[in-house]
Amino acid sequence: MAKDQQLMIFAYLGEAWAPCGQLTMTEEGAALLASSFAYGLRYLDRPDAIEVDPVSLGIHGEPVKGRRLLPVNALTGFGGIRDAAPDSWGRRVIEAKLKVPANSLPESQYLLHAGSDRVGALDIRSACPSSTMVGCGPLIARSATALYGLDGLSRTLCQARSYPAWRRQSRRRARCDRHKQAQEGRCQN
């Protein structure tokens, strides 16, 4: 039986997260059947507002204020939202934390469990954390982790650093740091 999951989308504007709209995802099991999005009225009034998806959710063309928007070309989801979803490694980490088989979660669950401490301009939550935040209060990414109770996921991701992919990344980062220091004359490598 298909279920509608309503999620809040936040955009990182400058140095703070701002609520930008509501995403509705219709899912049956792990399958995404349909989705729609409506921008928040106050968000569209902001001079620094960004598009969640430039193809389906453009804010500079035809009027979008007060409208529920659908993906183009009869797609089930928005490209900008899919881009904000965890990649395959992030999905495996979430599945390991939740102790579920690979690719068994609905897309909304991957989006919700991704957490706020990540790269990208979009964040997806099940609701606004407090009424003081809606439309005005800044929410810095580090504070979002505590507000949303994602400290456990942060610990899981820190523990995952022992996996080879994390080691390779750390080594790569260390090589880049040594290279930069050598260019600046601070290192003999």
Side-chain angles (χ1 to χ4, degrees):
M1 182 162 139
K3 292 184 181 181
D4 283 347
Q5 179 76 29
Q6 296 197 343
L7 307 172
M8 292 299 298
I9 307 298
F10 294 84
Y12 194 74
L13 305 175
E15 295 183 14
W17 290 105
C20 62
Q22 184 184 57
L23 173 69
T24 301
M25 301 177 89
T26 304
E27 300 167 318
E28 188 169 357
L32 176 62
L33 304 177
S35 56
S36 64
F37 183 82
Y39 280 106
L41 300 179
R42 283 192 243 172
Y43 179 77
L44 290 173
D45 290 337
R46 294 179 64 122
D48 57 349
I50 61 171
E51 300 167 320
V52 170
D53 178 357
V55 176
S56 295
L57 301 173
I59 58 176
H60 301 295
E62 64 183 70
V64 296
K65 207 171 204 175
R67 292 183 50 210
R68 186 148 289 279
L69 306 168
L70 302 172
V72 297
N73 300 326
L75 295 172
T76 59
F78 297 100
I81 301 295
R82 179 64 183 102
D83 190 49
D87 61 7
S88 61
W89 171 253
R91 288 170 186 259
R92 299 301 88 83
V93 171
I94 291 168
E95 292 158 354
K97 178 184 182 282
L98 299 175
K99 297 179 172 103
V100 298
N103 301 315
S104 63
L105 295 172
E107 190 66 20
S108 62
Q109 293 307 301
Y110 288 113
L111 289 166
L112 287 171
H113 286 282
S116 298
D117 285 344
R118 58 192 169 122
V119 175
L122 298 180
D123 188 26
I124 293 89
R125 297 291 115 222
S126 59
C128 286
S130 72
S131 60
T132 59
M133 189 212 151
V134 178
C136 57
L139 180 62
I140 305 301
R142 292 276 173 219
S143 304
T145 301
L147 279 173
Y148 297 126
L150 298 176
D151 295 328
L153 182 57
S154 295
R155 281 192 296 278
T156 301
L157 291 173
C158 287
Q159 292 165 353
R161 290 183 190 269
S162 63
Y163 284 87
W166 285 95
R167 279 193 222 133
R168 284 193 303 273
Q169 240 179 4
S170 296
R171 287 187 194 134
R172 217 175 292 133
R173 224 182 342 251
R175 277 196 306 268
C176 290
D177 289 343
R178 284 194 303 271
H179 179 71
K180 184 178 177 184
Q181 290 171 354
Q183 286 181 330
E184 295 172 353
R186 296 185 292 151
C187 181
Q188 299 302 322
N189 266 349

PDB file of all heavy atoms in Angstrom, residues 148-180:
ATOM      1  N   TYR A 148      18.409  17.630  15.841  1.00  0.00           N
ATOM      2  CA  TYR A 148      17.670  16.537  15.237  1.00  0.00           C
ATOM      3  C   TYR A 148      17.973  15.197  15.883  1.00  0.00           C
ATOM      4  O   TYR A 148      17.481  14.175  15.443  1.00  0.00           O
ATOM      5  CB  TYR A 148      17.964  16.456  13.741  1.00  0.00           C
ATOM      6  CG  TYR A 148      17.520  17.674  12.987  1.00  0.00           C
ATOM      7  CD1 TYR A 148      18.404  18.373  12.193  1.00  0.00           C
ATOM      8  CD2 TYR A 148      16.224  18.138  13.071  1.00  0.00           C
ATOM      9  CE1 TYR A 148      17.996  19.490  11.495  1.00  0.00           C
ATOM     10  CE2 TYR A 148      15.815  19.257  12.386  1.00  0.00           C
ATOM     11  CZ  TYR A 148      16.706  19.923  11.596  1.00  0.00           C
ATOM     12  OH  TYR A 148      16.298  21.020  10.915  1.00  0.00           O
ATOM     13  N   GLY A 149      18.839  15.168  16.897  1.00  0.00           N
ATOM     14  CA  GLY A 149      19.160  13.921  17.563  1.00  0.00           C
ATOM     15  C   GLY A 149      19.957  12.983  16.683  1.00  0.00           C
ATOM     16  O   GLY A 149      19.776  11.769  16.732  1.00  0.00           O
ATOM     17  N   LEU A 150      20.851  13.522  15.880  1.00  0.00           N
ATOM     18  CA  LEU A 150      21.623  12.687  14.964  1.00  0.00           C
ATOM     19  C   LEU A 150      23.010  12.364  15.506  1.00  0.00           C
ATOM     20  O   LEU A 150      23.864  11.911  14.774  1.00  0.00           O
ATOM     21  CB  LEU A 150      21.757  13.398  13.610  1.00  0.00           C
ATOM     22  CG  LEU A 150      20.442  13.661  12.908  1.00  0.00           C
ATOM     23  CD1 LEU A 150      20.687  14.444  11.634  1.00  0.00           C
ATOM     24  CD2 LEU A 150      19.728  12.381  12.594  1.00  0.00           C
ATOM     25  N   ASP A 151      23.222  12.580  16.802  1.00  0.00           N
ATOM     26  CA  ASP A 151      24.528  12.307  17.370  1.00  0.00           C
ATOM     27  C   ASP A 151      24.915  10.846  17.177  1.00  0.00           C
ATOM     28  O   ASP A 151      26.065  10.524  16.946  1.00  0.00           O
ATOM     29  CB  ASP A 151      24.556  12.665  18.857  1.00  0.00           C
ATOM     30  CG  ASP A 151      24.361  14.162  19.063  1.00  0.00           C
ATOM     31  OD1 ASP A 151      24.795  14.930  18.185  1.00  0.00           O
ATOM     32  OD2 ASP A 151      23.762  14.544  20.073  1.00  0.00           O
ATOM     33  N   GLY A 152      23.934   9.934  17.254  1.00  0.00           N
ATOM     34  CA  GLY A 152      24.213   8.511  17.062  1.00  0.00           C
ATOM     35  C   GLY A 152      24.731   8.232  15.668  1.00  0.00           C
ATOM     36  O   GLY A 152      25.665   7.452  15.480  1.00  0.00           O
ATOM     37  N   LEU A 153      24.154   8.866  14.667  1.00  0.00           N
ATOM     38  CA  LEU A 153      24.620   8.668  13.297  1.00  0.00           C
ATOM     39  C   LEU A 153      26.022   9.232  13.139  1.00  0.00           C
ATOM     40  O   LEU A 153      26.863   8.635  12.476  1.00  0.00           O
ATOM     41  CB  LEU A 153      23.669   9.312  12.296  1.00  0.00           C
ATOM     42  CG  LEU A 153      24.039   9.136  10.825  1.00  0.00           C
ATOM     43  CD1 LEU A 153      24.153   7.658  10.468  1.00  0.00           C
ATOM     44  CD2 LEU A 153      23.016   9.809   9.944  1.00  0.00           C
ATOM     45  N   SER A 154      26.301  10.359  13.781  1.00  0.00           N
ATOM     46  CA  SER A 154      27.647  10.926  13.713  1.00  0.00           C
ATOM     47  C   SER A 154      28.659   9.954  14.301  1.00  0.00           C
ATOM     48  O   SER A 154      29.734   9.755  13.747  1.00  0.00           O
ATOM     49  CB  SER A 154      27.712  12.249  14.477  1.00  0.00           C
ATOM     50  OG  SER A 154      26.897  13.195  13.865  1.00  0.00           O
ATOM     51  N   ARG A 155      28.305   9.327  15.434  1.00  0.00           N
ATOM     52  CA  ARG A 155      29.202   8.332  16.041  1.00  0.00           C
ATOM     53  C   ARG A 155      29.401   7.150  15.109  1.00  0.00           C
ATOM     54  O   ARG A 155      30.506   6.649  14.945  1.00  0.00           O
ATOM     55  CB  ARG A 155      28.658   7.869  17.387  1.00  0.00           C
ATOM     56  CG  ARG A 155      28.928   8.849  18.518  1.00  0.00           C
ATOM     57  CD  ARG A 155      28.629   8.229  19.862  1.00  0.00           C
ATOM     58  NE  ARG A 155      27.226   7.893  20.028  1.00  0.00           N
ATOM     59  CZ  ARG A 155      26.272   8.761  20.383  1.00  0.00           C
ATOM     60  NH1 ARG A 155      26.592  10.008  20.605  1.00  0.00           N
ATOM     61  NH2 ARG A 155      25.028   8.379  20.501  1.00  0.00           N
ATOM     62  N   THR A 156      28.317   6.691  14.450  1.00  0.00           N
ATOM     63  CA  THR A 156      28.413   5.570  13.516  1.00  0.00           C
ATOM     64  C   THR A 156      29.348   5.921  12.368  1.00  0.00           C
ATOM     65  O   THR A 156      30.183   5.112  11.975  1.00  0.00           O
ATOM     66  CB  THR A 156      27.022   5.198  12.961  1.00  0.00           C
ATOM     67  OG1 THR A 156      26.180   4.856  14.058  1.00  0.00           O
ATOM     68  CG2 THR A 156      27.104   4.043  11.995  1.00  0.00           C
ATOM     69  N   LEU A 157      29.223   7.133  11.847  1.00  0.00           N
ATOM     70  CA  LEU A 157      30.091   7.544  10.745  1.00  0.00           C
ATOM     71  C   LEU A 157      31.540   7.649  11.195  1.00  0.00           C
ATOM     72  O   LEU A 157      32.450   7.292  10.452  1.00  0.00           O
ATOM     73  CB  LEU A 157      29.608   8.867  10.160  1.00  0.00           C
ATOM     74  CG  LEU A 157      28.282   8.780   9.410  1.00  0.00           C
ATOM     75  CD1 LEU A 157      27.814  10.169   9.022  1.00  0.00           C
ATOM     76  CD2 LEU A 157      28.407   7.903   8.193  1.00  0.00           C
ATOM     77  N   CYS A 158      31.765   8.097  12.425  1.00  0.00           N
ATOM     78  CA  CYS A 158      33.135   8.161  12.940  1.00  0.00           C
ATOM     79  C   CYS A 158      33.714   6.756  13.075  1.00  0.00           C
ATOM     80  O   CYS A 158      34.870   6.516  12.770  1.00  0.00           O
ATOM     81  CB  CYS A 158      33.173   8.883  14.289  1.00  0.00           C
ATOM     82  SG  CYS A 158      32.914  10.653  14.136  1.00  0.00           S
ATOM     83  N   GLN A 159      32.901   5.794  13.548  1.00  0.00           N
ATOM     84  CA  GLN A 159      33.358   4.418  13.666  1.00  0.00           C
ATOM     85  C   GLN A 159      33.635   3.823  12.295  1.00  0.00           C
ATOM     86  O   GLN A 159      34.502   2.967  12.141  1.00  0.00           O
ATOM     87  CB  GLN A 159      32.322   3.572  14.413  1.00  0.00           C
ATOM     88  CG  GLN A 159      32.187   3.963  15.866  1.00  0.00           C
ATOM     89  CD  GLN A 159      30.936   3.387  16.502  1.00  0.00           C
ATOM     90  OE1 GLN A 159      30.107   2.796  15.841  1.00  0.00           O
ATOM     91  NE2 GLN A 159      30.811   3.584  17.803  1.00  0.00           N
ATOM     92  N   ALA A 160      32.909   4.270  11.286  1.00  0.00           N
ATOM     93  CA  ALA A 160      33.086   3.741   9.934  1.00  0.00           C
ATOM     94  C   ALA A 160      34.421   4.161   9.332  1.00  0.00           C
ATOM     95  O   ALA A 160      34.818   3.638   8.306  1.00  0.00           O
ATOM     96  CB  ALA A 160      31.938   4.211   9.040  1.00  0.00           C
ATOM     97  N   ARG A 161      35.138   5.076   9.979  1.00  0.00           N
ATOM     98  CA  ARG A 161      36.423   5.519   9.452  1.00  0.00           C
ATOM     99  C   ARG A 161      37.435   4.383   9.366  1.00  0.00           C
ATOM    100  O   ARG A 161      38.424   4.488   8.677  1.00  0.00           O
ATOM    101  CB  ARG A 161      36.990   6.657  10.287  1.00  0.00           C
ATOM    102  CG  ARG A 161      36.218   7.938  10.123  1.00  0.00           C
ATOM    103  CD  ARG A 161      36.878   9.051  10.913  1.00  0.00           C
ATOM    104  NE  ARG A 161      36.016  10.193  10.944  1.00  0.00           N
ATOM    105  CZ  ARG A 161      36.043  11.180  10.052  1.00  0.00           C
ATOM    106  NH1 ARG A 161      36.895  11.133   9.074  1.00  0.00           N
ATOM    107  NH2 ARG A 161      35.221  12.184  10.146  1.00  0.00           N
ATOM    108  N   SER A 162      37.183   3.280  10.061  1.00  0.00           N
ATOM    109  CA  SER A 162      38.113   2.160   9.999  1.00  0.00           C
ATOM    110  C   SER A 162      37.985   1.386   8.688  1.00  0.00           C
ATOM    111  O   SER A 162      38.821   0.549   8.379  1.00  0.00           O
ATOM    112  CB  SER A 162      37.877   1.219  11.190  1.00  0.00           C
ATOM    113  OG  SER A 162      36.567   0.673  11.109  1.00  0.00           O
ATOM    114  N   TYR A 163      36.976   1.647   7.887  1.00  0.00           N
ATOM    115  CA  TYR A 163      36.805   0.967   6.607  1.00  0.00           C
ATOM    116  C   TYR A 163      37.866   1.454   5.626  1.00  0.00           C
ATOM    117  O   TYR A 163      38.293   2.597   5.674  1.00  0.00           O
ATOM    118  CB  TYR A 163      35.411   1.242   6.029  1.00  0.00           C
ATOM    119  CG  TYR A 163      34.334   0.465   6.716  1.00  0.00           C
ATOM    120  CD1 TYR A 163      33.734   0.963   7.856  1.00  0.00           C
ATOM    121  CD2 TYR A 163      33.931  -0.773   6.233  1.00  0.00           C
ATOM    122  CE1 TYR A 163      32.746   0.257   8.500  1.00  0.00           C
ATOM    123  CE2 TYR A 163      32.943  -1.486   6.881  1.00  0.00           C
ATOM    124  CZ  TYR A 163      32.346  -0.965   8.012  1.00  0.00           C
ATOM    125  OH  TYR A 163      31.380  -1.678   8.645  1.00  0.00           O
ATOM    126  N   PRO A 164      38.286   0.589   4.699  1.00  0.00           N
ATOM    127  CA  PRO A 164      39.336   0.959   3.746  1.00  0.00           C
ATOM    128  C   PRO A 164      39.050   2.228   2.952  1.00  0.00           C
ATOM    129  O   PRO A 164      39.958   3.000   2.702  1.00  0.00           O
ATOM    130  CB  PRO A 164      39.407  -0.260   2.818  1.00  0.00           C
ATOM    131  CG  PRO A 164      38.912  -1.386   3.658  1.00  0.00           C
ATOM    132  CD  PRO A 164      37.887  -0.790   4.581  1.00  0.00           C
ATOM    133  N   ALA A 165      37.813   2.466   2.567  1.00  0.00           N
ATOM    134  CA  ALA A 165      37.513   3.677   1.793  1.00  0.00           C
ATOM    135  C   ALA A 165      37.862   4.922   2.597  1.00  0.00           C
ATOM    136  O   ALA A 165      38.371   5.894   2.058  1.00  0.00           O
ATOM    137  CB  ALA A 165      36.045   3.704   1.385  1.00  0.00           C
ATOM    138  N   TRP A 166      37.575   4.905   3.889  1.00  0.00           N
ATOM    139  CA  TRP A 166      37.899   6.056   4.731  1.00  0.00           C
ATOM    140  C   TRP A 166      39.412   6.201   4.852  1.00  0.00           C
ATOM    141  O   TRP A 166      39.946   7.292   4.862  1.00  0.00           O
ATOM    142  CB  TRP A 166      37.278   5.909   6.122  1.00  0.00           C
ATOM    143  CG  TRP A 166      35.822   6.156   6.119  1.00  0.00           C
ATOM    144  CD1 TRP A 166      34.827   5.235   6.024  1.00  0.00           C
ATOM    145  CD2 TRP A 166      35.169   7.419   6.172  1.00  0.00           C
ATOM    146  NE1 TRP A 166      33.597   5.849   6.018  1.00  0.00           N
ATOM    147  CE2 TRP A 166      33.782   7.189   6.124  1.00  0.00           C
ATOM    148  CE3 TRP A 166      35.625   8.735   6.264  1.00  0.00           C
ATOM    149  CZ2 TRP A 166      32.858   8.209   6.158  1.00  0.00           C
ATOM    150  CZ3 TRP A 166      34.692   9.746   6.302  1.00  0.00           C
ATOM    151  CH2 TRP A 166      33.331   9.479   6.248  1.00  0.00           C
ATOM    152  N   ARG A 167      40.114   5.055   4.959  1.00  0.00           N
ATOM    153  CA  ARG A 167      41.568   5.117   5.061  1.00  0.00           C
ATOM    154  C   ARG A 167      42.161   5.723   3.790  1.00  0.00           C
ATOM    155  O   ARG A 167      43.068   6.539   3.859  1.00  0.00           O
ATOM    156  CB  ARG A 167      42.138   3.714   5.295  1.00  0.00           C
ATOM    157  CG  ARG A 167      42.044   3.301   6.727  1.00  0.00           C
ATOM    158  CD  ARG A 167      42.882   2.076   6.972  1.00  0.00           C
ATOM    159  NE  ARG A 167      42.067   1.231   7.826  1.00  0.00           N
ATOM    160  CZ  ARG A 167      41.858  -0.043   7.655  1.00  0.00           C
ATOM    161  NH1 ARG A 167      42.425  -0.681   6.678  1.00  0.00           N
ATOM    162  NH2 ARG A 167      41.097  -0.711   8.477  1.00  0.00           N
ATOM    163  N   ARG A 168      41.664   5.276   2.643  1.00  0.00           N
ATOM    164  CA  ARG A 168      42.182   5.815   1.387  1.00  0.00           C
ATOM    165  C   ARG A 168      41.955   7.320   1.326  1.00  0.00           C
ATOM    166  O   ARG A 168      42.829   8.065   0.898  1.00  0.00           O
ATOM    167  CB  ARG A 168      41.512   5.122   0.203  1.00  0.00           C
ATOM    168  CG  ARG A 168      42.052   3.729  -0.055  1.00  0.00           C
ATOM    169  CD  ARG A 168      41.595   3.218  -1.399  1.00  0.00           C
ATOM    170  NE  ARG A 168      40.156   3.187  -1.557  1.00  0.00           N
ATOM    171  CZ  ARG A 168      39.367   2.184  -1.191  1.00  0.00           C
ATOM    172  NH1 ARG A 168      39.882   1.108  -0.625  1.00  0.00           N
ATOM    173  NH2 ARG A 168      38.072   2.233  -1.389  1.00  0.00           N
ATOM    174  N   GLN A 169      40.783   7.753   1.756  1.00  0.00           N
ATOM    175  CA  GLN A 169      40.479   9.184   1.739  1.00  0.00           C
ATOM    176  C   GLN A 169      41.428   9.942   2.657  1.00  0.00           C
ATOM    177  O   GLN A 169      41.934  10.994   2.309  1.00  0.00           O
ATOM    178  CB  GLN A 169      39.038   9.404   2.204  1.00  0.00           C
ATOM    179  CG  GLN A 169      38.198  10.058   1.187  1.00  0.00           C
ATOM    180  CD  GLN A 169      36.776  10.233   1.680  1.00  0.00           C
ATOM    181  OE1 GLN A 169      36.433   9.935   2.812  1.00  0.00           O
ATOM    182  NE2 GLN A 169      35.942  10.712   0.797  1.00  0.00           N
ATOM    183  N   SER A 170      41.683   9.387   3.858  1.00  0.00           N
ATOM    184  CA  SER A 170      42.561  10.048   4.817  1.00  0.00           C
ATOM    185  C   SER A 170      43.976  10.138   4.267  1.00  0.00           C
ATOM    186  O   SER A 170      44.637  11.154   4.409  1.00  0.00           O
ATOM    187  CB  SER A 170      42.574   9.288   6.147  1.00  0.00           C
ATOM    188  OG  SER A 170      41.304   9.326   6.731  1.00  0.00           O
ATOM    189  N   ARG A 171      44.449   9.059   3.645  1.00  0.00           N
ATOM    190  CA  ARG A 171      45.789   9.078   3.059  1.00  0.00           C
ATOM    191  C   ARG A 171      45.872  10.111   1.942  1.00  0.00           C
ATOM    192  O   ARG A 171      46.859  10.828   1.814  1.00  0.00           O
ATOM    193  CB  ARG A 171      46.146   7.692   2.519  1.00  0.00           C
ATOM    194  CG  ARG A 171      46.450   6.692   3.601  1.00  0.00           C
ATOM    195  CD  ARG A 171      46.960   5.402   3.000  1.00  0.00           C
ATOM    196  NE  ARG A 171      46.919   4.373   4.013  1.00  0.00           N
ATOM    197  CZ  ARG A 171      46.447   3.163   3.831  1.00  0.00           C
ATOM    198  NH1 ARG A 171      45.962   2.805   2.655  1.00  0.00           N
ATOM    199  NH2 ARG A 171      46.440   2.292   4.802  1.00  0.00           N
ATOM    200  N   ARG A 172      44.823  10.154   1.115  1.00  0.00           N
ATOM    201  CA  ARG A 172      44.785  11.115   0.024  1.00  0.00           C
ATOM    202  C   ARG A 172      44.850  12.536   0.574  1.00  0.00           C
ATOM    203  O   ARG A 172      45.583  13.387   0.083  1.00  0.00           O
ATOM    204  CB  ARG A 172      43.500  10.919  -0.788  1.00  0.00           C
ATOM    205  CG  ARG A 172      43.695  11.111  -2.256  1.00  0.00           C
ATOM    206  CD  ARG A 172      42.448  10.803  -3.052  1.00  0.00           C
ATOM    207  NE  ARG A 172      42.140   9.388  -3.005  1.00  0.00           N
ATOM    208  CZ  ARG A 172      40.939   8.884  -2.759  1.00  0.00           C
ATOM    209  NH1 ARG A 172      39.919   9.667  -2.574  1.00  0.00           N
ATOM    210  NH2 ARG A 172      40.736   7.597  -2.720  1.00  0.00           N
ATOM    211  N   ARG A 173      44.082  12.775   1.642  1.00  0.00           N
ATOM    212  CA  ARG A 173      44.062  14.095   2.264  1.00  0.00           C
ATOM    213  C   ARG A 173      45.444  14.434   2.833  1.00  0.00           C
ATOM    214  O   ARG A 173      45.929  15.546   2.689  1.00  0.00           O
ATOM    215  CB  ARG A 173      43.001  14.129   3.366  1.00  0.00           C
ATOM    216  CG  ARG A 173      42.174  15.355   3.348  1.00  0.00           C
ATOM    217  CD  ARG A 173      41.154  15.416   4.451  1.00  0.00           C
ATOM    218  NE  ARG A 173      40.843  14.166   5.085  1.00  0.00           N
ATOM    219  CZ  ARG A 173      39.693  13.501   4.949  1.00  0.00           C
ATOM    220  NH1 ARG A 173      38.749  13.968   4.219  1.00  0.00           N
ATOM    221  NH2 ARG A 173      39.473  12.375   5.578  1.00  0.00           N
ATOM    222  N   ALA A 174      46.092  13.454   3.473  1.00  0.00           N
ATOM    223  CA  ALA A 174      47.419  13.685   4.051  1.00  0.00           C
ATOM    224  C   ALA A 174      48.426  13.990   2.949  1.00  0.00           C
ATOM    225  O   ALA A 174      49.275  14.873   3.107  1.00  0.00           O
ATOM    226  CB  ALA A 174      47.860  12.467   4.858  1.00  0.00           C
ATOM    227  N   ARG A 175      48.359  13.261   1.815  1.00  0.00           N
ATOM    228  CA  ARG A 175      49.262  13.540   0.703  1.00  0.00           C
ATOM    229  C   ARG A 175      49.054  14.956   0.192  1.00  0.00           C
ATOM    230  O   ARG A 175      50.014  15.669  -0.102  1.00  0.00           O
ATOM    231  CB  ARG A 175      49.042  12.532  -0.433  1.00  0.00           C
ATOM    232  CG  ARG A 175      49.777  11.233  -0.234  1.00  0.00           C
ATOM    233  CD  ARG A 175      49.839  10.440  -1.537  1.00  0.00           C
ATOM    234  NE  ARG A 175      48.540  10.215  -2.140  1.00  0.00           N
ATOM    235  CZ  ARG A 175      47.770   9.150  -1.930  1.00  0.00           C
ATOM    236  NH1 ARG A 175      48.168   8.212  -1.109  1.00  0.00           N
ATOM    237  NH2 ARG A 175      46.615   9.024  -2.541  1.00  0.00           N
ATOM    238  N   CYS A 176      47.782  15.361   0.062  1.00  0.00           N
ATOM    239  CA  CYS A 176      47.494  16.720  -0.401  1.00  0.00           C
ATOM    240  C   CYS A 176      48.049  17.748   0.569  1.00  0.00           C
ATOM    241  O   CYS A 176      48.602  18.766   0.155  1.00  0.00           O
ATOM    242  CB  CYS A 176      45.992  16.913  -0.582  1.00  0.00           C
ATOM    243  SG  CYS A 176      45.324  16.001  -1.974  1.00  0.00           S
ATOM    244  N   ASP A 177      47.908  17.498   1.887  1.00  0.00           N
ATOM    245  CA  ASP A 177      48.427  18.419   2.892  1.00  0.00           C
ATOM    246  C   ASP A 177      49.946  18.510   2.804  1.00  0.00           C
ATOM    247  O   ASP A 177      50.516  19.596   2.869  1.00  0.00           O
ATOM    248  CB  ASP A 177      48.012  17.991   4.297  1.00  0.00           C
ATOM    249  CG  ASP A 177      46.527  18.196   4.555  1.00  0.00           C
ATOM    250  OD1 ASP A 177      45.892  18.949   3.780  1.00  0.00           O
ATOM    251  OD2 ASP A 177      46.009  17.602   5.523  1.00  0.00           O
ATOM    252  N   ARG A 178      50.617  17.349   2.653  1.00  0.00           N
ATOM    253  CA  ARG A 178      52.084  17.356   2.534  1.00  0.00           C
ATOM    254  C   ARG A 178      52.510  18.108   1.281  1.00  0.00           C
ATOM    255  O   ARG A 178      53.476  18.860   1.292  1.00  0.00           O
ATOM    256  CB  ARG A 178      52.623  15.928   2.526  1.00  0.00           C
ATOM    257  CG  ARG A 178      52.638  15.275   3.902  1.00  0.00           C
ATOM    258  CD  ARG A 178      53.482  14.024   3.917  1.00  0.00           C
ATOM    259  NE  ARG A 178      53.053  13.028   2.939  1.00  0.00           N
ATOM    260  CZ  ARG A 178      52.153  12.085   3.165  1.00  0.00           C
ATOM    261  NH1 ARG A 178      51.576  11.998   4.334  1.00  0.00           N
ATOM    262  NH2 ARG A 178      51.837  11.220   2.220  1.00  0.00           N
ATOM    263  N   HIS A 179      51.778  17.895   0.170  1.00  0.00           N
ATOM    264  CA  HIS A 179      52.103  18.582  -1.080  1.00  0.00           C
ATOM    265  C   HIS A 179      51.961  20.095  -0.912  1.00  0.00           C
ATOM    266  O   HIS A 179      52.826  20.856  -1.335  1.00  0.00           O
ATOM    267  CB  HIS A 179      51.186  18.080  -2.200  1.00  0.00           C
ATOM    268  CG  HIS A 179      51.424  18.747  -3.514  1.00  0.00           C
ATOM    269  ND1 HIS A 179      52.554  18.524  -4.262  1.00  0.00           N
ATOM    270  CD2 HIS A 179      50.688  19.657  -4.190  1.00  0.00           C
ATOM    271  CE1 HIS A 179      52.502  19.263  -5.345  1.00  0.00           C
ATOM    272  NE2 HIS A 179      51.383  19.955  -5.341  1.00  0.00           N
ATOM    273  N   LYS A 180      50.889  20.506  -0.257  1.00  0.00           N
ATOM    274  CA  LYS A 180      50.656  21.942  -0.039  1.00  0.00           C
ATOM    275  C   LYS A 180      51.756  22.529   0.841  1.00  0.00           C
ATOM    276  O   LYS A 180      52.277  23.600   0.566  1.00  0.00           O
ATOM    277  CB  LYS A 180      49.288  22.143   0.607  1.00  0.00           C
ATOM    278  CG  LYS A 180      48.915  23.591   0.792  1.00  0.00           C
ATOM    279  CD  LYS A 180      47.544  23.714   1.387  1.00  0.00           C
ATOM    280  CE  LYS A 180      47.187  25.159   1.641  1.00  0.00           C
ATOM    281  NZ  LYS A 180      45.911  25.316   2.296  1.00  0.00           N
TER     282      LYS A 180
END
